[in-house]
Amino acid sequence: MKIVKARAHTNIALIKYWGKKNTDIIIPMNNSFSLTLDHFYTDTKVTYDENLKKDSFSLNGEEIESQNVFNFLDYVRQLSGKNGFVKVESINHVPTTAGLASSASAYAALAAASSKAFGLDLSRKDLSRLARRGSGSATRSIYGGFTEWIGGDNDLNSYAKPFQENVEWDIRMIAAVVNSKPKKITSRSGMQTVVNTSPFYGEWVKNANNSIPLIKKAILDKNFTTFGEISEENAMKMHALNLTAHPHFSYFEPQSIEIMQAIEQLRQDGIEAYYTMDAGPNVKIICEGKNSEVIQKALKLKFPEIELLESKPGKGIQFLD
Ligand code: ADP
Ligand code: DP6
Ligand code: CO
């Protein structure tokens, strides 16, 4: 019997992954770039036991028959050359399927814990390739800080690369939780609809790839204005694409728009803050530490019922005792 526990943090994509060129092994259409977050994470415990007759999976204490998790475990078993089964127990310290990237921390933690439980000793690069097969955004959660997912075009050359693991910049991300209930359109189905039907998709891919060297330069220069503008524009381009799909869709809720407008107002008042959104209605505000309090105060005043959760740059994958 072997028990392995791993913790992985979610990440916020600043240049987003929004579409696959291979849906089986998850190869993205464009490179993406993210910041790993300290506030949201998943802890996953995997028990390899020769006496087990099949794999099992529980999330937050509830048994779930997840075909995605079982397919992932089949793949790890095949890599390991073993034929035993595992018990997976996972706890999300992040709302599940709410556009707060639970699939990123989930599959990064599962990749680390399950591969080790099956007796594999993978490098971080290979862990990122493995996590990728569970969920694209999980590729980047193997590393801390600023990370790039090199899209590649096959299983070997599609992996994450750390850009700045120890972030020397007091960057914060404030999640304004408009709605933490599971979303209706998963990332997986939303992005595929866009790839298949948006007439603007090719332009998105070019623009996203071109933005990566620009955001890296802004980070090296500690130019927060350029960093924020690039992030915000990339997010809005992704959400604009959704409106150009067939059938068109949107993750915005009325309050998402109100919060974005409040951030624009803060900017006009001289407080620098930018927003980004993923596949869900929650707005993520990017700011420097020195402005975090005043931004949160302003939002609390306008939207007293909305929960604000602040993150700092987070660590990469960790094995727990
Ligand atoms: P999110 O915005 O939360 O990443 P997604 O639609 O991308 O939403 O992914 C949610 C998927 O990830 C769901 O299928 C969910 O069951 C799965 N998932 C979430 N947490 C875990 C976990 N800890 N272990 C395994 N799978 C998980
Ligand atoms: C908008 O990684 O959740 O958060 O690969 O199908 O599991 P699958 O999708 P997922 O998509 C993330 C989309 C995004 C942008 C990003 O994280 O880059
Ligand atoms: Co996800």
Side-chain angles (χ1 to χ4, degrees):
M1 194 158 113
K2 185 163 183 179
I3 300 176
V4 183
K5 285 187 215 164
R7 172 172 297 175
H9 291 83
T10 63
N11 65 80
I12 177 76
L14 304 170
I15 306 299
K16 306 208 184 266
Y17 145 58
W18 198 237
K20 300 172 177 71
K21 56 185 166 211
N22 181 323
T23 54
D24 292 332
I25 63 166
I26 310 197
I27 307 295
M29 287 285 197
N30 56 270
N31 292 11
S32 53
F33 189 86
S34 60
L35 178 64
T36 299
L37 303 172
D38 71 342
H39 190 85
F40 301 110
Y41 59 94
T42 297
D43 283 343
T44 297
K45 175 175 160 191
V46 178
T47 307
Y48 180 90
D49 181 346
E50 298 283 355
N51 298 320
L52 292 171
K53 298 278 177 296
K54 62 183 183 67
D55 294 328
S56 66
F57 167 59
S58 72
L59 178 54
N60 300 335
E62 194 191 326
E63 285 297 313
I64 298 180
E65 293 294 315
S66 165
Q67 207 45 57
N68 287 344
V69 170
F70 295 147
N71 291 345
F72 187 89
L73 294 173
D74 283 340
Y75 179 69
V76 181
R77 183 167 21 248
Q78 186 198 319
L79 279 181
S80 75
K82 295 204 167 154
N83 22 16
F85 293 98
V86 291
K87 178 178 176 185
V88 177
E89 294 159 277
S90 190
I91 305 285
N92 277 350
H93 297 268
V94 49
T96 303
T97 327
L100 288 161
S102 69
S103 67
S105 51
Y107 279 96
L110 185 60
S114 66
S115 59
K116 204 162 184 187
F118 274 106
L120 292 163
D121 183 20
L122 301 181
S123 66
R124 292 208 294 174
K125 176 177 169 182
D126 287 342
L127 277 181
S128 84
R129 289 175 46 233
L130 176 59
R132 189 198 76 228
R133 289 177 169 258
S135 180
S137 52
T139 312
R140 300 181 306 243
S141 269
I142 297 301
Y143 295 100
F146 290 112
T147 304
E148 181 175 4
W149 175 10
I150 313 289
D153 55 17
N154 64 51
D155 180 50
L156 290 173
N157 67 13
S158 186
Y159 56 86
K161 217 173 149 175
F163 175 66
Q164 201 177 83
E165 278 226 83
N166 296 309
V167 177
E168 309 138 9
W169 204 11
D170 189 11
I171 293 288
R172 308 285 171 93
M173 197 216 65
I174 304 160
V177 185
V178 169
N179 184 344
S180 61
K181 290 199 196 82
K183 56 199 169 199
K184 293 193 191 82
I185 302 175
T186 61
S187 317
R188 190 152 296 186
S189 74
M191 70 173 81
Q192 213 46 41
T193 304
V194 166
V195 171
N196 293 336
T197 65
S198 171
F200 305 108
Y201 194 72
E203 287 306 310
W204 155 264
V205 172
K206 275 191 247 167
N207 187 274
N209 282 329
N210 289 340
S211 298
I212 291 183
L214 303 178
I215 200 165
K216 284 181 176 170
K217 182 172 185 312
I219 291 167
L220 294 176
D221 293 347
K222 292 200 176 163
N223 184 335
F224 185 72
T225 306
T226 305
F227 172 77
E229 281 175 3
I230 294 172
S231 305
E232 187 173 296
E233 284 183 9
N234 178 267
M236 292 305 105
K237 288 193 174 91
M238 177 197 123
H239 288 276
L241 270 185
N242 300 343
L243 294 175
T244 67
H246 178 75
H248 61 83
F249 61 98
S250 173
Y251 292 108
F252 289 3
E253 287 184 12
Q255 276 200 322
S256 320
I257 297 173
E258 285 180 42
I259 292 168
M260 290 190 279
Q261 287 173 339
I263 297 304
E264 288 164 19
Q265 184 60 52
L266 278 170
R267 277 211 295 266
Q268 282 183 8
D269 298 343
I271 297 152
E272 269 209 295
Y274 296 87
Y275 48 78
T276 180
M277 283 179 67
D278 286 318
N282 306 312
V283 181
K284 287 90 176 223
I285 297 134
I286 306 160
C287 66
E288 289 177 287
K290 62 178 186 203
N291 288 327
S292 175
E293 230 182 272
V294 41
I295 293 165
Q296 293 194 50
K297 263 198 189 136
L299 291 174
K300 272 275 161 244
L301 209 63
K302 263 202 170 112
F303 312 99
E305 73 292 0
I306 288 184
E307 192 183 7
L308 301 175
L309 302 167
E310 187 188 45
S311 283
K312 292 181 186 168
K315 291 194 186 115
I317 195 77
Q318 292 164 274
F319 287 100
L320 308 174
D321 298 329

